[in-house]
Structure formats: C-alpha cells, structure tokens
Amino acid sequence: MVTVMAAPDAPRGRPRDSRAHQAILTATAELLAEAGYAATSIGAVAARAGVGKDTVYRRWSGKAELVYEAVFTQTEAVPVPDTGTLRGDLTVLLDALVREFTAPGAAAALPGLLADFAARPELRARIRSQFLAPAKSRLVELFERAVQRGEADPDLPVDLVLDTLAGAVFFHTGLLGEPAGPQLAAQLAAIVGRGIEAR
Amino acid sequence: MVTVMAAPDAPRGRPRDSRAHQAILTATAELLAEAGYAATSIGAVAARAGVGKDTVYRRWSGKAELVYEAVFTQTEAVPVPDTGTLRGDLTVLLDALVREFTAPGAAAALPGLLADFAARPELRARIRSQFLAPAKSRLVELFERAVQRGEADPDLPVDLVLDTLAGAVFFHTGLLGEPAGPQLAAQLAAIVGRGIEAR
DNA sequence: AACCATACGGGACGACCCGTATGGTTACCA
DNA sequence: TGGTAACCATACGGGTCGTCCCGTATGGTT
C-alpha cells in the first residue's frame, strides 16, 4: 500500500503551458482593438498567439467567455474616495465607469459581447453577477455614506440606479460612440445624482 | 403630343412583387421572436417567406437593415399628452419607450441589432438619427412645456438625457431581461425627472 | 405582335467560422 | 522507463455568408 490518497487530483501528464494562457489573452485583446468583436474568431486568436485552436478550447468554452476574461479581468475596483457629497462620490464612480467602458479593447468588444451574453440564458445572469458586481458594491458603499448624512433615502432601488448609470454610459459611449471625458461623468452625476437625493 | 416627358425614369422591366416585400418583413419578425437575432439569417428568412435570397438582397443591403425595418417601422410616435408636470410627462414617455423595447420581436432583436449598428460606422450614425429621433422630438416638446412652467432649465443637455433614458431602459430590459412594467417607467421618471428639475 | 428590361424562385459557388477529432511530439511524474 | 496528458498542426463535417447565374415570368415600349 503506497500513498493511497495521494492528493485528490495529482497533476498527471504534461502540465499546461502557463505562457500560452497569457499569450491567448493578449492576442485576444489586440485583435479586439484592431479588428473588432466580429472579426475576433477563435482561429484568428489561436494563430496570433502561436497556439493550436485546441489549446484555446481546452481553457475557454467559447468566444464570449474568452473575450470577457481578456477584457474585464485586470480591472481592480478601487473603493470610492469619500468626497463628502453624494454627487461628488457619484462623479468619481462614473468617471471610473467611463474609463473602463472606453478602454481600447472594451469599447470594441462590449456591444457584441453583451449581445452574446444577453442571447444565452446561462450567460445573461452573469451580466449582473460579474460585470456589475464590482460597481454595485461601490455604489452601495457610497449610498450608505449619503444616507448617514441624510442626503439620500435608505430605500433606494439600488439595482435600478446602477442599471441607469451603466446603461447611460454604455449607450452613450459604447453604442453611439460619443466622445467620453470627465465632463460626461460630471453631467451624468448631475442628472442622476439630484434625482436620488432625499427631498 | 402625347406625354413627351413620360416620367424621367419610367420603370422598365418587370415590377417588383409588392407581396414579397411584406412577406419578407413578416417572416423576419416571426423568426426574431421564435429563434432570436443570431438564428435569423437571410437564408432562413427567404425560405420562410417562400422567396429567393436574391429577392431579399435586392431590397435590403443586409441583415441589420432588414431587421431594423421589420421591427421599428409601424411604431407611430404619439405626442406626449400634457400631464401638467415634468415627471408626469416623463413617465408617459418612458412607458412608451418600455413598451417599444419589450415588444416580442424588439426584445429579441435589439441587443444584436444595436451591436451590428455600432460596429459599422455608416450604420452607427443612424442609431441617433433613426432609433432615437422620434423619442427626441417628444422629449424636446416635453421639455419646452416644463421650461415655460419654470420647472426645468432651458439649457439642458437633451441628447444626454435621452441617452440616459434609452440606455437605462435598454440595459435593464433588453440586456438584463428584467421584467418591465409601468412601475419601471415611474421609477425611472422619479430618478431622472427630479435630477433635471430647475433648482 | 415583337421586343426588352427587370424581378422572380432556385440553386451553386468559394470563403469563412465553428467545435471536434486525429496524429506526432513533448514534458512531467512515478 | 512507462504512462499520461498537453502541446501544435491539420483535417473534418456542418453551417452561414454574400454573390452569381440559370431559366422563367411579367410588365411597358415600339
């Protein structure tokens, strides 16, 4: 009897090449920015990464999952600094959102990617739980401060406010392609911010 | 003398079958509702309409144009009734928007359709000039009444407000698939309406 | 009545992509 | 030294795309 329970999942066989993983993600991001979402096929990604298609399919189940990871992974959600006012906090949050949506790869990927997610029920649920989760936690934190100041109602429909903010930024910049700067964040904060202040 | 200038461009050759036009649009709308945007191919539409593919391509230059006409054509823009308050008017406008975005065909078509429009520069410009134009004219009318009542600033960024409303509805219902009723319109009107009232 | 231009349905075309095999090779572990 | 599994390359069957061509139908013009 030799090591009966030798590690539940002892890694047998040739281990995966860790460089391939990153090479694929990099190739995906580059292709998105250069050729757009539609032209970013699995085959094209594999060729650019110097990898067989098999190697891509072994790690991701499809184009939507791959693109999601390539674009929305290394964005660390910094907590919103306390500016002292609801509108100031909102401006900061929106500014980060605008920058995230207008990054070179994201701008090209978002419309097609969200359409793919929306079309498949099992992926659709992940829009809220993955795309929006970081922003929501920051929005909640921001609201709680505003409520403590008596600046906002405690029973706001947070999800709907978040959908409004994300929808506005996505529609304006992602779909219409309007130029987006800090000014956009300030204007949106003005429109939505005053709407949710306690009367 | 018999009609010397007999029409600058007298239609020569066999005239187009007017029934084919409507049959194609009907087949498109049905396929969208039943199978979704991705599965609504030109070939599938032609087969269902009992028509050759060429007959479709002779009338529309591509899938995006066809789907747009099939879904967003018979929506007549009723002017917003004067409810007496900005928020009341906004609620009516938003309610119409919600209904338009959640119609059986539109809900299935919008994400993919807008992604296709956004990906091609020549179509992207038409999002604002065609999708949003009817809603904008009503929003302007509604604002003018509010300004006359002293309820709103005369120098509001109308386009941005419209993008916010459309984006919120599209994101919430079209992408996330959240249930949409009159309550949604009222909540959005509350969030955005108070934000644009004159201080 | 003859002619001509165009639309018609139907089908074939080459190109592309998908997701899945199938080899021959390579790297790691026991 | 085997065993195992990932590596890359290539090929597969199935699908859609947009274009093109066929033979036919249908109208106006001469």
Side-chain angles (χ1 to χ4, degrees), chain A residues 43-54:
Chain A
V45 167
R48 175 181 282 239
V51 151
K53 282 204 297 177
D54 198 28

Side-chain angles (χ1 to χ4, degrees), chain B residues 77-154:
Chain B
V78 183
V80 179
D82 191 345
T83 67
T85 65
L86 174 58
R87 186 154 146 194
D89 286 359
L90 263 186
T91 304
V92 176
L93 176 72
L94 277 166
D95 198 62
L97 209 60
V98 167
R99 271 203 305 272
E100 192 174 358
F101 279 24
T102 53
L110 263 179
L113 181 59
L114 285 178
D116 278 359
F117 269 67
R120 298 195 305 181
E122 78 275 15
L123 291 184
R124 169 175 269 195
R126 289 173 48 193
I127 298 180
R128 191 177 288 288
S129 66
Q130 294 194 3
F131 280 84
L132 298 181
K136 176 171 180 182
S137 67
R138 305 203 286 164
L139 186 61
V140 167
E141 176 191 335
L142 175 164
F143 272 170
E144 287 171 353
R145 290 204 296 259
V147 170
Q148 284 188 337
R149 287 192 300 261
E151 215 181 345
D153 267 340

